[in-house]
Short mmCIF file of all heavy atoms in Angstrom, two decimals:
data_model
loop_
_atom_site.label_atom_id
_atom_site.label_comp_id
_atom_site.label_asym_id
_atom_site.label_seq_id
_atom_site.Cartn_x
_atom_site.Cartn_y
_atom_site.Cartn_z
N SER M 18 -27.05 -7.42 69.64
CA SER M 18 -27.60 -6.10 69.63
C SER M 18 -28.72 -5.99 68.67
O SER M 18 -28.66 -6.46 67.53
CB SER M 18 -26.47 -5.10 69.26
OG SER M 18 -26.93 -3.81 69.28
N VAL M 19 -29.83 -5.32 69.07
CA VAL M 19 -30.99 -5.13 68.19
C VAL M 19 -31.07 -3.60 68.00
O VAL M 19 -31.36 -2.86 68.94
CB VAL M 19 -32.29 -5.70 68.85
CG1 VAL M 19 -33.45 -5.43 67.95
CG2 VAL M 19 -32.11 -7.14 69.15
N VAL M 20 -30.88 -3.15 66.79
CA VAL M 20 -30.81 -1.76 66.49
C VAL M 20 -32.02 -1.36 65.58
O VAL M 20 -32.19 -1.92 64.48
CB VAL M 20 -29.47 -1.37 65.81
CG1 VAL M 20 -29.46 0.13 65.48
CG2 VAL M 20 -28.34 -1.80 66.70
N ASN M 21 -32.78 -0.40 66.06
CA ASN M 21 -33.87 0.20 65.22
C ASN M 21 -34.91 -0.85 64.71
O ASN M 21 -35.35 -0.76 63.59
CB ASN M 21 -33.31 0.98 64.04
CG ASN M 21 -32.45 2.14 64.41
OD1 ASN M 21 -32.46 2.52 65.60
ND2 ASN M 21 -31.79 2.72 63.47
N ASN M 22 -35.20 -1.81 65.59
CA ASN M 22 -36.13 -2.84 65.18
C ASN M 22 -36.84 -3.45 66.39
O ASN M 22 -36.59 -4.59 66.79
CB ASN M 22 -35.46 -3.93 64.38
CG ASN M 22 -36.44 -4.93 63.73
OD1 ASN M 22 -37.58 -4.53 63.44
ND2 ASN M 22 -36.02 -6.13 63.51
N PHE M 23 -37.67 -2.69 67.05
CA PHE M 23 -38.41 -3.17 68.24
C PHE M 23 -39.56 -2.24 68.54
O PHE M 23 -39.75 -1.24 67.86
CB PHE M 23 -37.44 -3.26 69.44
CG PHE M 23 -36.72 -2.01 69.75
CD1 PHE M 23 -37.29 -1.04 70.61
CD2 PHE M 23 -35.48 -1.69 69.17
CE1 PHE M 23 -36.61 0.17 70.91
CE2 PHE M 23 -34.80 -0.51 69.45
CZ PHE M 23 -35.35 0.41 70.35
N SER M 24 -40.34 -2.61 69.57
CA SER M 24 -41.42 -1.77 70.00
C SER M 24 -41.30 -1.29 71.41
O SER M 24 -40.75 -2.07 72.25
CB SER M 24 -42.77 -2.56 69.84
OG SER M 24 -43.12 -2.72 68.48
N ILE M 25 -41.75 -0.10 71.68
CA ILE M 25 -41.79 0.42 73.07
C ILE M 25 -43.25 0.62 73.45
O ILE M 25 -44.01 1.26 72.74
CB ILE M 25 -41.04 1.81 73.12
CG1 ILE M 25 -39.64 1.73 72.56
CG2 ILE M 25 -41.04 2.33 74.53
CD1 ILE M 25 -39.06 3.10 72.35
N THR M 26 -43.62 0.06 74.57
CA THR M 26 -44.99 0.23 75.06
C THR M 26 -44.95 0.92 76.43
O THR M 26 -44.18 0.53 77.34
CB THR M 26 -45.70 -1.10 75.21
OG1 THR M 26 -45.79 -1.73 73.92
CG2 THR M 26 -47.10 -0.91 75.77
N VAL M 27 -45.71 1.95 76.58
CA VAL M 27 -45.84 2.70 77.81
C VAL M 27 -47.22 2.49 78.43
O VAL M 27 -48.25 2.73 77.78
CB VAL M 27 -45.65 4.24 77.59
CG1 VAL M 27 -45.75 5.00 78.89
CG2 VAL M 27 -44.26 4.49 76.91
N ALA M 28 -47.24 1.97 79.64
CA ALA M 28 -48.47 1.66 80.37
C ALA M 28 -48.62 2.64 81.52
O ALA M 28 -47.82 2.71 82.41
CB ALA M 28 -48.48 0.26 80.89
N THR M 29 -49.71 3.47 81.43
CA THR M 29 -49.94 4.44 82.49
C THR M 29 -51.45 4.57 82.64
O THR M 29 -52.18 3.66 82.32
CB THR M 29 -49.24 5.77 82.19
OG1 THR M 29 -49.49 6.68 83.21
CG2 THR M 29 -49.67 6.32 80.84
N VAL M 30 -51.95 5.73 83.20
CA VAL M 30 -53.37 5.94 83.32
C VAL M 30 -53.74 7.15 82.53
O VAL M 30 -53.02 8.10 82.33
CB VAL M 30 -53.77 6.12 84.83
CG1 VAL M 30 -53.48 4.88 85.60
CG2 VAL M 30 -53.03 7.30 85.45
N ASN M 31 -55.03 7.16 82.07
CA ASN M 31 -55.56 8.25 81.32
C ASN M 31 -55.64 9.49 82.13
O ASN M 31 -56.03 9.52 83.31
CB ASN M 31 -56.91 7.89 80.71
CG ASN M 31 -57.31 8.65 79.52
OD1 ASN M 31 -56.44 9.01 78.72
ND2 ASN M 31 -58.57 8.89 79.32
N GLY M 32 -55.30 10.64 81.51
CA GLY M 32 -55.40 11.92 82.14
C GLY M 32 -54.17 12.24 82.96
O GLY M 32 -54.15 13.30 83.73
N SER M 33 -53.05 11.50 82.86
CA SER M 33 -51.85 11.76 83.62
C SER M 33 -50.80 12.59 82.86
O SER M 33 -49.72 12.83 83.38
CB SER M 33 -51.19 10.44 84.04
OG SER M 33 -50.73 9.72 82.93
N GLY M 34 -51.16 12.98 81.66
CA GLY M 34 -50.21 13.79 80.86
C GLY M 34 -49.21 12.92 80.11
O GLY M 34 -48.26 13.44 79.58
N SER M 35 -49.45 11.62 80.04
CA SER M 35 -48.48 10.76 79.39
C SER M 35 -48.38 10.97 77.94
O SER M 35 -47.36 10.63 77.27
CB SER M 35 -48.86 9.29 79.62
OG SER M 35 -50.21 8.98 79.16
N GLN M 36 -49.42 11.51 77.23
CA GLN M 36 -49.40 11.75 75.84
C GLN M 36 -48.23 12.67 75.43
O GLN M 36 -47.55 12.43 74.40
CB GLN M 36 -50.72 12.34 75.33
CG GLN M 36 -50.85 12.45 73.84
CD GLN M 36 -51.02 11.09 73.15
OE1 GLN M 36 -50.71 10.07 73.66
NE2 GLN M 36 -51.58 11.14 71.98
N THR M 37 -47.96 13.69 76.23
CA THR M 37 -46.84 14.56 75.96
C THR M 37 -45.53 13.84 76.00
O THR M 37 -44.62 14.00 75.11
CB THR M 37 -46.77 15.71 77.01
OG1 THR M 37 -48.00 16.45 76.96
CG2 THR M 37 -45.68 16.69 76.65
N SER M 38 -45.36 12.96 76.98
CA SER M 38 -44.11 12.17 77.06
C SER M 38 -43.98 11.20 75.92
O SER M 38 -42.89 11.05 75.35
CB SER M 38 -44.06 11.41 78.41
OG SER M 38 -44.31 12.28 79.52
N ASN M 39 -45.07 10.59 75.57
CA ASN M 39 -45.05 9.61 74.50
C ASN M 39 -44.68 10.25 73.20
O ASN M 39 -43.84 9.76 72.43
CB ASN M 39 -46.41 8.88 74.39
CG ASN M 39 -46.80 8.12 75.60
OD1 ASN M 39 -45.98 7.62 76.35
ND2 ASN M 39 -48.12 8.04 75.83
N LEU M 40 -45.29 11.41 72.93
CA LEU M 40 -45.00 12.06 71.66
C LEU M 40 -43.62 12.66 71.61
O LEU M 40 -43.00 12.81 70.55
CB LEU M 40 -46.05 13.17 71.42
CG LEU M 40 -47.47 12.74 71.14
CD1 LEU M 40 -48.43 13.91 71.00
CD2 LEU M 40 -47.53 11.83 69.88
N THR M 41 -43.06 12.96 72.79
CA THR M 41 -41.68 13.46 72.84
C THR M 41 -40.75 12.40 72.36
O THR M 41 -39.83 12.65 71.58
CB THR M 41 -41.32 13.87 74.33
OG1 THR M 41 -42.17 14.98 74.67
CG2 THR M 41 -39.85 14.32 74.40
N ILE M 42 -40.90 11.17 72.82
CA ILE M 42 -40.08 10.05 72.37
C ILE M 42 -40.31 9.75 70.93
O ILE M 42 -39.34 9.61 70.10
CB ILE M 42 -40.30 8.83 73.20
CG1 ILE M 42 -39.78 8.99 74.64
CG2 ILE M 42 -39.65 7.58 72.56
CD1 ILE M 42 -39.94 7.84 75.54
N LEU M 43 -41.57 9.75 70.48
CA LEU M 43 -41.90 9.46 69.10
C LEU M 43 -41.23 10.45 68.15
O LEU M 43 -40.57 10.09 67.18
CB LEU M 43 -43.45 9.45 68.87
CG LEU M 43 -43.94 9.14 67.50
CD1 LEU M 43 -43.82 7.63 67.19
CD2 LEU M 43 -45.34 9.60 67.32
N ARG M 44 -41.39 11.72 68.48
CA ARG M 44 -40.88 12.80 67.57
C ARG M 44 -39.30 12.80 67.62
O ARG M 44 -38.67 13.08 66.64
CB ARG M 44 -41.44 14.09 67.94
CG ARG M 44 -42.90 14.29 67.65
CD ARG M 44 -43.31 15.74 67.62
NE ARG M 44 -44.73 15.88 67.19
CZ ARG M 44 -45.71 16.09 68.03
NH1 ARG M 44 -45.51 16.18 69.34
NH2 ARG M 44 -46.95 16.21 67.56
#
Side-chain angles (χ1 to χ4, degrees):
S18 182
V19 179
V20 180
N21 296 350
N22 189 28
F23 55 90
S24 290
I25 306 167
T26 299
V27 180
T29 181
V30 295
N31 203 31
S33 64
S35 60
Q36 186 74 338
T37 303
S38 306
N39 299 332
L40 293 178
T41 297
I42 290 181
L43 181 74
R44 289 198 177 102

